């Protein structure tokens, strides 16, 4: 039995967002962003028990409404008859689910040989008229995200298999939880969530004690704990039902609509979905408070829930809304004729009285979902002294191991970079970087199925079956199909790779006033990796050793944050950085063998510290090249005298060498450059 929703301590914004969707499902769901262990999943499962039951056509696997059955339902047509009632479902979509599990499976063999559409419904059918819950939604594979987007946009799910199709209604409330440290959502999916809330564990000692006390009591005797909170659950369930009943009578006047439009325009959100969702949320807030008129405060709180995730401009901006700007926009309407905002009234005193357990899900007048405000990054001027080139094997002035760290330098503005591919044909996760055999893309051939058939190649199947028709006793117009005849399509698309950055943070980089430009280049490559659905990792080397600044992750934001704080100074242990990269790649190959790596070395090629630093760096580079690692070297050397050490490193690694200027896509005629390594050249 789920943990009672009313027993959750704090988390007012999260609980309010979930309750508003329970009152008005047309809001479109909620995305809960927050650190691990902050009761995100517990709250989602708990709110399901508070949702009212629904009427369904008896025996329909697709939960058709008896008052308005789906004319195209695969179990239809439905005749008038007694209706059944069942609780609203919360259907969980696992991150690793297959495409057939999500949309359903069609028996291709029966469809071709017998003309029968034998269809097994998937999770999208189970979630119809209920809640589709995705825990760690930011880790969902791209092909599943595409299917979710289609179903959310059209209100229906389509299963297509070479001319044989099944369609069924699929309208659901989309609820997702995620930890931003593990990566961000695609903008298209992010926009499909009606509301977003930020959650974090309380830092108050008494509140944390109460959380632990309640959780231990629940684990010790779940039935007794649930019974203890039954009265509060019933009271909240009745309040939700009352708000749903009142919702059609809530009036959204022209004044409120003008406020909503002005706020959305003021924050420059894309499209009109933000205006519609904000209007629906403000209406639900009024119904939750027991009122029939939408007030300015309703509009304000609705904006704080519905706009933060829609005003973002790039993946490195923190989500949030400038509340001072919001208040300034709303103040423009103070002089308009309107009735004074009435005091909230409604079941149990409205949202300000804290709800049935004294710490209500709406959290008082200021509990309306305010994620952290976006703070623009301040650019700093680089003030390190300019120095001439030092010999390769000797430390530059101020570059000794004991030299103090230079302050972190802000990155220059990011720019659009050239695309670097891993050579060959991979079989990794769908992405946008390198060529690969994928579930989606252009068809390049056919083969016997590997496991369950999901991508039928019709022409190849008919070609395989045609020679055997007489032997199989064919007498009618249809082909006699056997399982051995089935062929699946081989499709070529693009995959995401593991882009591992090895960044020189030594004193030579800082002394030549290059670190700001270098950070800007790495930031640009990080942005490119985000757009191409790559995993990223970062190794920095300075002083006497190399450090894994960011283990391989999908969170490009985490990489940008580590880069911003990266200190500089000390010697240049290039060999240590390359050896550390070799070890990280070795471990990642065991964890995810299908994801191919791309090594990006950002350095001027200098190596200092220890005996024979340059030969050791060359041997480490040779070790990477021998393992078939695709690489690219970003040459940061500048000044009138250039030693060409980065170019020599690139030749050993077997990959191209580009300067910071050549890295820009708008500075070259060819925007795509394939990374050639020694193995691919030998194969050619």
């Amino acid at each position: 039995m789920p943990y009672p929703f009313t027993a959750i301590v704090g988390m007012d914004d999260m609980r309010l967002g979930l309750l508003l969707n329970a009152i008005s499902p047309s809001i479109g769901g909620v995305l809960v962003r927050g650190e691990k262990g902050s009761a995100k999943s517990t709250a989602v499962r708990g709110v399901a028990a508070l949702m009212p039951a629904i009427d369904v056509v008896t025996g329909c696997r697709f939960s058709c409404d008896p008052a308005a059955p789906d004319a195209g339902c695969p179990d239809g047509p439905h005749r008038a008859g007694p209706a059944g009632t069942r609780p609203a479902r919360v259907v969980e979509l696992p991150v690793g689910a297959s495409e057939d599990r999500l949309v359903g499976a069609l028996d291709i063999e029966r469809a071709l040989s017998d003309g029968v559409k034998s269809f097994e419904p998937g999770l999208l059918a189970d979630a119809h008229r209920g809640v589709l819950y995705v825990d760690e939604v930011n880790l969902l594979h791209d092909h599943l995200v595409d299917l979710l987007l289609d179903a959310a946009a059209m209100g229906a799910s389509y299963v297509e298999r070479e001319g044989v199709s099944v369609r069924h209604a699929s309208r659901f409330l989309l609820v997702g939880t995620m930890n931003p440290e593990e990566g961000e959502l695609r903008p298209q999916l992010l926009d499909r969530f009606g509301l977003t809330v930020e959650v974090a564990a309380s830092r108050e000692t008494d509140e944390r004690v109460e959380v632990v006390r309640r959780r231990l009591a629940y684990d010790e005797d779940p039935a007794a704990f649930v019974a203890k909170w039954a009265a509060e659950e019933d009271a909240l369930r009745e309040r939700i039902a009352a708000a749903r009943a009142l919702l059609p009578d809530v009036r959204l006047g022209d004044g409120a609509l003008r406020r909503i439009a002005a706020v959305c325009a003021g924050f420059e959100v894309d499209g009109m979905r933000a205006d519609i969702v904000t209007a629906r949320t403000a209406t639900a807030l009024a119904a939750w408070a027991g009122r029939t008129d939408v007030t300015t405060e309703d509009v304000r709180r609705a904006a704080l829930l519905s706009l933060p995730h829609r005003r973002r401009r790039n993946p490195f901006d923190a989500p949030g809304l400038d509340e001072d700007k919001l208040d300034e926009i709303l103040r423009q309407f103070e002089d308009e004729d309107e009735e004074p905002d009435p005091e909230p009234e409604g079941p149990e005193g409205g949202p300000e009285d804290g709800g049935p357990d004294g710490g209500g899900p709406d959290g008082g007048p200021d509990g309306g979902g305010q994620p952290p405000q976006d703070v623009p990054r301040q650019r700093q001027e680089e003030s390190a002294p300019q120095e001439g080139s030092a010999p390769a094997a000797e430390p530059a002035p101020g570059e000794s191991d004991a030299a103090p760290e230079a302050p972190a330098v802000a990155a220059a503005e990011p720019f659009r970079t050239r695309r670097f591919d891993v050579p060959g044909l991979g079989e990794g996760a769908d992405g946008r970087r390198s060529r690969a055999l994928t579930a989606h893309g252009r068809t390049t051939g056919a083969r016997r199925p590997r496991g369950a058939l999901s991508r039928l190649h019709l022409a190849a199947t008919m070609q395989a079956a045609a020679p055997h028709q007489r032997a199989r006793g064919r007498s009618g117009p249809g082909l006699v199909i056997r399982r051995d005849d089935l062929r699946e399509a081989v499709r070529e698309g693009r995959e995401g790779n593991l882009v591992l950055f090895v960044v020189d943070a030594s004193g030579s980089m800082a002394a030549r006033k290059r670190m700001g430009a270098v950070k800007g280049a790495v930031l640009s490559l990080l942005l490119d990796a985000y757009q191409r659905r790559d995993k990223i990792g970062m190794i920095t080397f300075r002083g006497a050793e190399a450090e894994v600044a960011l283990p391989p992750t999908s969170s490009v934001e985490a990489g940008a944050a580590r880069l911003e704080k990266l200190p500089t100074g000390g010697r240049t242990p290039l060999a240590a950085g390359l050896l550390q990269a070799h070890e990280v790649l070795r471990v990642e190959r065991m964890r995810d063998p299908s994801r191919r790596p791309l090594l990006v070395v950002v350095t001027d090629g200098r190596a200092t510290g220890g005996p024979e630093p340059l030969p050791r760096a060359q041997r480490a580079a040779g070790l990477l090249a021998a393992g078939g690692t695709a690489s690219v070297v970003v040459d940061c050397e500048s000044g009138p005298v250039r030693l060409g050490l980065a170019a020599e490193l690139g030749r050993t690694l077997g990959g191209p060498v580009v300067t910071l200027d050549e890295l820009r896509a708008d500075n070259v005629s060819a925007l795509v450059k394939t990374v050639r390594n020694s193995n691919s050249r030998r194969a050619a």
Side-chain angles (χ1 to χ4, degrees):
M1 54 186 68
Y3 190 91
F5 187 81
T6 52
I8 296 174
V9 179
M11 307 298 173
D12 298 331
D13 294 343
M14 174 176 64
R15 296 201 290 167
L16 177 61
L18 291 169
L19 288 173
L20 291 176
N21 276 276
I23 294 168
S24 177
S26 63
I27 289 174
V30 59
L31 174 65
V32 183
R33 297 166 46 96
E35 58 194 29
K36 52 187 176 291
S38 50
K40 301 186 297 293
S41 301
T42 299
V44 174
R45 297 185 179 101
V47 78
L50 303 174
M51 299 179 68
I54 62 173
D55 295 330
V56 296
V57 174
T58 303
C60 178
R61 297 174 297 166
F62 301 88
S63 303
C64 279
D65 186 351
D70 180 13
C73 178
D75 286 354
H78 298 300
R79 296 183 176 86
T85 302
R86 65 163 176 80
R89 289 176 179 160
V90 174
V91 177
E92 296 193 33
L93 170 59
V95 170
S98 66
E99 181 176 330
D100 285 347
R101 183 70 188 99
L102 178 61
V103 301
L106 187 66
D107 191 327
I108 301 296
E109 187 175 358
R110 289 194 64 192
L112 286 176
S113 59
D114 302 333
V116 176
K117 294 181 181 179
S118 178
F119 181 69
E120 183 66 28
L123 297 177
L124 289 179
D126 294 341
H128 180 46
R129 303 176 65 203
V131 176
L132 182 63
Y133 170 50
V134 190
D135 192 16
E136 304 295 349
V137 64
N138 50 325
L139 302 183
L140 203 62
H141 290 299
D142 271 0
H143 69 284
L144 298 182
V145 172
D146 294 337
L147 295 171
L148 275 182
L149 288 172
D150 288 343
M154 296 183 293
S157 175
Y158 292 83
V159 183
E160 301 284 349
R161 293 292 187 271
E162 296 292 347
V164 180
S165 64
V166 173
R167 173 218 166 268
H168 64 82
S170 182
R171 292 182 295 275
F172 48 83
L173 192 67
L174 184 60
V175 178
T177 58
M178 61 174 284
N179 182 354
E181 293 179 358
E182 296 173 338
E184 277 297 336
L185 282 178
R186 285 170 52 180
Q188 296 92 337
L189 182 58
L190 189 64
D191 190 50
R192 283 292 168 185
F193 287 97
L195 310 178
T196 183
V197 294
E198 296 275 345
V199 297
S202 172
R203 301 301 187 257
E204 296 292 331
T205 301
D206 292 342
E207 195 166 286
R208 295 176 72 95
V209 167
E210 185 61 23
V211 170
V212 175
R213 181 182 290 117
R214 293 185 186 183
R215 185 69 210 191
L216 292 177
Y218 173 80
D219 292 341
E220 183 177 351
D221 191 345
F225 187 83
V226 170
K228 176 182 176 181
W229 289 89
E232 285 80 358
E233 291 280 288
D234 290 341
L236 187 55
R237 188 178 294 108
E238 292 174 3
R239 184 176 178 186
I240 292 172
R244 289 180 70 131
L246 182 62
L247 188 64
D249 298 327
V250 176
R251 184 178 65 89
L252 185 66
D254 288 344
L257 280 174
R258 288 177 58 82
R259 287 168 172 77
I260 291 170
V263 168
C264 293
F267 283 102
E268 300 180 353
V269 298
D270 296 328
M272 295 300 299
R273 184 175 288 115
D275 303 63
I276 296 171
V277 171
T278 305
R280 289 171 175 167
T281 305
T283 303
L285 281 165
W288 176 243
R291 291 185 270 100
T292 57
D293 288 302
V294 174
T295 67
T296 300
E297 181 61 24
D298 292 331
V299 173
R300 183 182 189 277
R301 297 179 70 186
L304 289 169
L305 291 168
S306 62
L307 300 187
H309 60 303
R310 291 188 166 91
R311 58 156 297 279
R312 302 183 64 189
R313 286 296 177 266
N314 67 64
F316 306 131
D317 288 339
L321 212 63
D322 186 338
E323 293 189 47
D324 292 336
K325 181 177 179 180
L326 174 61
D327 292 335
E328 181 182 349
I329 294 173
L330 292 175
R331 275 196 296 269
Q332 299 174 7
F333 297 87
E334 287 181 350
D335 297 334
E336 293 189 1
D337 293 333
E338 65 172 355
E339 296 179 2
D341 293 347
E343 290 296 325
E345 297 179 359
E348 307 191 20
E352 276 79 6
D353 70 5
D357 62 348
D362 38 4
D366 296 321
Q370 300 93 333
Q373 180 175 326
D374 185 19
V375 180
R377 183 165 49 209
Q378 299 296 322
R379 302 294 178 193
Q380 305 175 22
E381 293 187 358
E382 303 169 23
S383 57
Q386 180 76 24
E387 296 188 10
S389 300
E394 296 296 331
E399 198 183 343
S400 66
D401 294 340
E405 287 186 357
V409 177
E413 290 294 336
F415 51 84
R416 189 165 64 96
T417 69
R418 298 164 63 175
R419 188 183 74 204
F420 298 96
D421 297 346
V422 177
L425 194 63
E427 295 188 19
D430 286 356
R432 297 180 180 177
R433 183 172 295 278
S434 304
R435 293 176 56 227
L437 298 177
T438 60
H440 306 86
R442 62 187 181 92
T443 300
T444 59
R447 67 186 178 192
R448 292 182 181 274
R450 299 177 179 178
L453 178 66
S454 59
R455 305 183 301 274
L456 178 72
H457 195 296
L458 183 58
T461 298
M462 295 177 65
Q463 186 177 5
H468 308 291
Q469 295 306 295
R470 181 173 296 179
R472 293 172 182 174
R474 172 187 171 187
S475 58
L479 287 175
V480 181
I481 302 292
R482 299 286 186 264
R483 181 164 293 277
D484 289 344
D485 302 328
L486 298 178
R487 298 292 184 271
E488 68 178 5
V490 176
R491 294 177 179 170
E492 182 178 318
R494 290 197 173 272
E495 66 179 359
N497 299 109
L498 167 60
V499 181
L500 182 62
F501 294 91
V502 180
V503 182
D504 184 348
S506 67
S508 66
M509 303 290 284
R512 291 166 180 80
K513 303 174 67 172
R514 291 195 296 264
M515 206 58 203
V518 168
K519 283 188 175 183
V522 177
L523 191 65
S524 303
L525 290 165
L526 283 171
L527 179 57
D528 181 70
Y530 168 81
Q531 294 169 339
R532 302 193 187 281
R533 310 289 182 261
D534 295 317
K535 287 181 68 175
I536 59 112
M538 187 182 300
I539 294 170
T540 61
F541 57 93
R542 55 180 293 275
E545 60 185 13
E547 175 189 5
V548 180
L550 181 69
T553 176
S554 297
S555 178
V556 180
E557 283 187 329
R562 302 289 173 87
L563 182 69
E564 188 77 11
K565 300 175 182 177
L566 179 64
T568 58
R571 293 181 182 271
T572 312
L574 177 57
L578 296 175
L579 291 174
Q580 184 69 69
H582 181 270
E583 177 62 18
V584 169
L585 294 178
R586 183 188 68 81
V587 174
E588 285 301 308
R589 284 192 183 100
M590 293 188 291
R591 291 177 177 171
D592 189 357
S594 64
R595 189 179 287 270
R596 298 186 296 163
L598 173 63
L599 184 69
V600 180
V601 184
V602 185
T603 180
D604 57 8
R606 296 171 181 272
T608 59
E612 299 184 327
L614 276 177
R616 285 192 295 112
Q618 289 292 328
R619 288 194 293 271
L623 183 63
L624 286 162
T629 302
S631 63
V632 57
V633 176
V634 180
D635 184 359
C636 303
E637 191 173 29
S638 63
V641 179
R642 304 198 180 198
L643 302 178
L645 298 175
E648 185 178 345
L649 177 65
R651 285 192 292 271
T652 305
L653 287 170
V657 180
V658 296
T659 65
L660 291 176
D661 289 336
E662 292 171 344
L663 191 62
R664 293 177 178 269
D666 53 2
N667 283 359
V668 292
S669 57
L671 302 184
V672 179
K673 186 178 183 71
T674 302
V675 179
R676 302 295 183 186
N677 58 29
S678 57
N679 286 351
S680 64
R681 287 202 301 270
R682 284 196 295 268

